[in-house]
């Protein structure tokens, strides 16, 4: 199967995967209440009842008055950036997720990552490694007056290891934004997991209801983009929510062009119902304690077996440092990709490489070589409400075994690749 797939796990059929940790996006198991909600779908073109339930839920949870549904998160990003960016504008973020970066860049903008220095170090221990560097943000806004249409913060910081942002840091970012009259938008994909970390780790927040922490965080924002495929506990869906009336008008007109009428936004009515219910369920504290606890226990089991993981463990995934895992393999033989292949071969496990294959670029000075990113990671993302602790203990066992037998990993060379986003379709052969 690996040979047929060109040693790229994206080419493997899901039926042929035992434990699928490719992503936590759209892979949640829906609850009985959500499935029941699907049966109450109102598929009217305009003004369906599920939309009003969805809108009321988003307003209540996030406190943002204008709610625009989209079929997934990247469309919310597309709408926002194609409306507010001028070529040459700058968008600071803790760390842009790939689709966010792409939507900024395709509209002529510059996507700037200003996470604190600890956020870039796999083993630096800091309770909120997703925090924005306030000094750098202040300087960026001072030096680029009139060229920053908005600041973003990604909760949790997916590209930086699923690390949370503290309430104090959101306040700090808000103050810098207010002083410079720049709006603040949150990428809310994993808002509930982020709020849980605030409750667990931030002084003065212990024991507070998670829903209250969420309201506090979002009261500091002018808007948010959301993929309901994560903390919406749904298989599809997303939205853009904001305060500014002038932007809403433009955004809705564009929504009609690319997604659909503003009361369904590219979704079936029943999908809006599943999202509305999922957004409430994700705030249940027994759910969050289990969810974040499960991912932490999984990561700690790996760390205890000597597997080099990004620490502290993030909210939705465990990230393995592949260069440290397989020091024998040179970075240009793609150790992260080699590990994803070995995990599948040895355990039927599917993970995703976030390293040289995903981010490597040809060196303009020497076309035979590549410029590789600083880190070569493998992400084991845990779908919500899908796997038991035993499933993850099995994954930890297989990974620990591979770590003890580093010769089980073979480097790879690329034999075919697309000009952009090559990691989805590249084909390899073992070296
Ligand atoms: N923002 C963040 C932080 C994300 O993690 C994602 C998706 C998006 C935006 C885009 O949302 O997929 O609904 O269009 N992340 C998935 C992942 C794909 O595997 O991490 P989308």
């Amino acid at each position: 199967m690996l040979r047929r797939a060109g040693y790229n796990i994206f080419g493997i059929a899901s039926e042929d995967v035992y434990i699928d940790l490719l992503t936590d996006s759209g892979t949640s198991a829906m609850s009985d209440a959500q499935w029941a909600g699907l049966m109450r779908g109102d598929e009217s073109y305009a003004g369906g009842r599920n939309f009003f339930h969805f809108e009321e839920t988003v307003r209540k949870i996030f406190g943002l008055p204008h709610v625009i549904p989209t079929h997934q998160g990247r469309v919310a990003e597309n709408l926002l950036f194609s409306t507010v960016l001028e070529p040459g504008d700058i968008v600071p973020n803790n760390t842009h997720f790939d689709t966010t970066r792409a939507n900024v860049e395709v509209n002529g903008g510059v996507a700037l990552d200003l996470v604190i220095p600890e956020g870039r170090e796999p083993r630096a221990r800091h309770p909120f490694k997703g925090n924005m560097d306030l000094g750098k943000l202040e300087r960026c806004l001072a030096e680029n007056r009139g060229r920053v249409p908005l600041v973003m913060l990604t909760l949790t910081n997916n590209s930086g290891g699923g690390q949370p942002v503290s309430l104090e840091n959101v306040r700090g970012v808000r103050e810098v934004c207010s002083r410079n009259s720049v709006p603040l938008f949150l990428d809310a994909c994993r808002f509930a997991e982020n709020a849980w970390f605030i409750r667990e780790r931030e002084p003065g927040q212990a024991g507070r209801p998670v829903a209250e922490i969420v309201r506090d965080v979002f009261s500091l924002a002018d808007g948010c983009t959301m993929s309901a495929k994560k903390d919406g506990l749904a298989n599809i869906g997303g939205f853009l929510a904001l305060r500014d009336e002038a932007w809403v008008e433009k955004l809705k007109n564009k929504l009609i062009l690319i997604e659909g009428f503003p009361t369904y936004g590219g979704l079936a009515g029943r999908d809006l119902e599943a999202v509305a219910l999922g957004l409430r369920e994700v705030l249940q504290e027994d759910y969050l304690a289990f969810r974040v606890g499960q991912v932490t226990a999984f990561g700690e089991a790996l760390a205890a077996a000597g597997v080099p993981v990004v620490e502290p463990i993030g909210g939705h995934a465990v990230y393995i440092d592949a260069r440290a895992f397989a020091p024998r393999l040179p970075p240009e033989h793609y150790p992260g990709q080699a590990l994803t292949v070995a995990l599948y071969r040895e355990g039927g496990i599917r993970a995703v490489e976030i390293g040289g294959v995903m981010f490597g670029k040809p060196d303009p000075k020497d076309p035979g070589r590549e410029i590789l990113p600083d880190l070569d990671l493998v992400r084991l993302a845990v779908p919500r409400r899908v796997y038991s602790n035993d499933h993850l203990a099995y994954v930890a066992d297989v990974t620990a075994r591979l770590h003890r037998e580093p010769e089980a990993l073979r480097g790879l060379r690329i034999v075919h690749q697309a000009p952009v986003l090559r990691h989805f379709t590249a084909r390899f052969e073992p070296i």
Side-chain angles (χ1 to χ4, degrees):
M1 282 174 199
L2 278 164
R3 218 175 292 134
R4 261 205 322 264
Y7 296 88
N8 185 338
I9 37 77
F10 281 101
I12 304 248
S14 67
E15 292 284 332
D16 297 325
V17 176
Y18 175 35
I19 309 278
D20 201 344
L21 306 184
L22 189 63
T23 179
D24 65 321
S25 180
T27 53
S28 301
M30 288 204 292
S31 67
D32 54 350
Q34 285 175 296
W35 279 102
L38 295 186
M39 297 295 146
R40 303 200 67 237
D42 171 355
E43 305 306 340
S44 318
Y45 193 91
R49 71 168 165 241
N50 310 112
F51 171 74
F52 295 115
H53 181 205
F54 165 81
E55 182 185 52
E56 175 207 324
T57 306
V58 174
R59 283 181 176 158
K60 184 160 175 274
I61 293 175
F62 300 97
L64 295 164
H66 303 293
V67 184
I68 299 173
T70 60
H71 85 275
Q72 57 183 83
R74 66 197 71 183
V75 184
E77 296 166 354
N78 174 319
L79 284 169
L80 180 65
F81 293 121
S82 67
T83 304
V84 310
L85 272 191
E86 299 287 340
D89 279 356
I90 294 169
V91 179
N93 200 329
N94 43 1
T95 313
H96 288 83
F97 180 68
D98 336 3
T99 60
T100 325
R101 170 176 292 279
N103 274 299
V104 170
E105 290 175 352
V106 86
N107 287 294
V110 178
L112 212 57
D113 293 339
L114 300 181
V115 73
I116 55 169
E118 292 89 335
R120 296 180 198 268
E121 304 256 340
R123 267 168 296 281
R125 287 219 158 240
H126 185 292
F128 293 100
K129 279 171 87 169
N131 282 357
M132 181 88 100
D133 186 321
L134 297 179
K136 282 196 185 140
L137 179 65
E138 185 89 65
R139 274 197 299 286
C140 169
L141 297 188
E143 286 164 11
N144 298 288
R145 239 165 253 302
R147 287 180 57 209
V148 181
L150 58 89
V151 169
M152 278 200 95
L153 263 181
T154 306
L155 316 177
T156 56
N157 191 24
N158 185 11
S159 307
Q163 301 291 328
V165 179
S166 69
L167 178 55
E168 186 194 15
N169 190 253
V170 184
R171 279 206 188 99
V173 172
R174 166 83 263 169
E175 278 165 27
V176 176
C177 286
S178 297
R179 268 203 303 283
N180 291 277
S181 308
V182 174
L184 170 62
F185 271 64
L186 303 177
D187 176 330
C189 288
R190 298 175 180 87
F191 74 99
E193 289 166 9
N194 197 82
W196 183 257
F197 280 118
I198 290 176
R199 181 182 135 123
E200 294 291 288
R201 294 183 183 171
E202 189 157 344
Q205 301 297 321
R208 288 189 65 207
V210 175
E212 237 176 79
I213 297 175
V214 170
R215 279 300 285 257
D216 283 359
V217 169
F218 284 80
S219 71
L220 299 163
D222 297 285
C224 73
T225 56
M226 172 73 184
S227 166
K229 300 172 73 173
K230 285 81 168 171
D231 273 352
L233 296 177
N235 303 124
I236 197 75
F239 59 84
L240 184 60
L242 67 164
R243 301 185 197 279
D244 187 301
E245 299 222 355
W247 281 7
V248 170
E249 172 84 27
K250 289 189 203 154
L251 291 164
K252 283 194 177 164
N253 288 338
K254 200 164 284 169
L255 182 81
I256 293 172
L257 185 68
I258 65 171
E259 283 279 77
F261 193 70
T263 62
Y264 72 85
L267 291 164
R270 56 180 173 268
D271 295 326
L272 288 166
E273 191 63 25
V275 173
L277 293 162
L279 288 170
R280 289 172 197 261
E281 289 178 7
V282 81
L283 293 172
Q284 288 168 9
E285 288 163 14
D286 52 355
Y287 158 76
L288 280 170
F290 175 77
R291 162 72 179 161
V292 177
Q294 182 182 49
V295 175
T296 305
F298 174 40
E300 284 175 353
L302 286 164
V307 175
V309 292
V310 173
E311 292 186 85
I313 309 300
H316 66 292
V318 177
Y319 294 69
I320 298 174
D321 178 349
R323 285 182 199 153
F325 188 98
R328 204 177 46 87
L329 293 184
E332 54 278 15
H333 290 182
Y334 307 119
Q337 189 70 17
L339 178 54
T340 64
V341 167
L343 282 167
Y344 183 69
R345 195 179 49 226
E346 296 301 316
I349 298 156
R350 179 152 64 175
V352 66
E353 190 255 18
I354 305 185
V357 177
M358 196 182 268
F359 298 122
K361 298 230 159 68
D363 185 342
K365 291 192 214 100
D366 179 358
R369 289 178 59 94
E370 279 190 344
I371 301 175
L372 295 169
D374 293 342
L375 289 176
D376 211 79
L377 301 177
V378 169
R379 184 182 75 170
L380 299 158
V382 183
R384 295 168 182 79
R385 304 194 295 208
V386 172
Y387 291 116
S388 70
N389 293 340
D390 281 350
H391 287 114
L392 299 182
Y394 162 82
V395 177
D397 278 354
V398 172
T399 313
R401 179 149 45 84
L402 289 171
H403 188 238
R404 287 193 300 272
E405 299 165 12
E407 60 285 359
L409 264 64
R410 288 178 68 185
L412 296 153
R413 79 168 67 85
I414 295 181
V415 291
H416 170 81
Q417 59 180 308
V420 283
L421 295 173
R422 67 179 183 176
H423 60 284
F424 290 117
T425 54
R427 295 182 73 83
F428 301 84
E429 70 190 16
I431 293 169

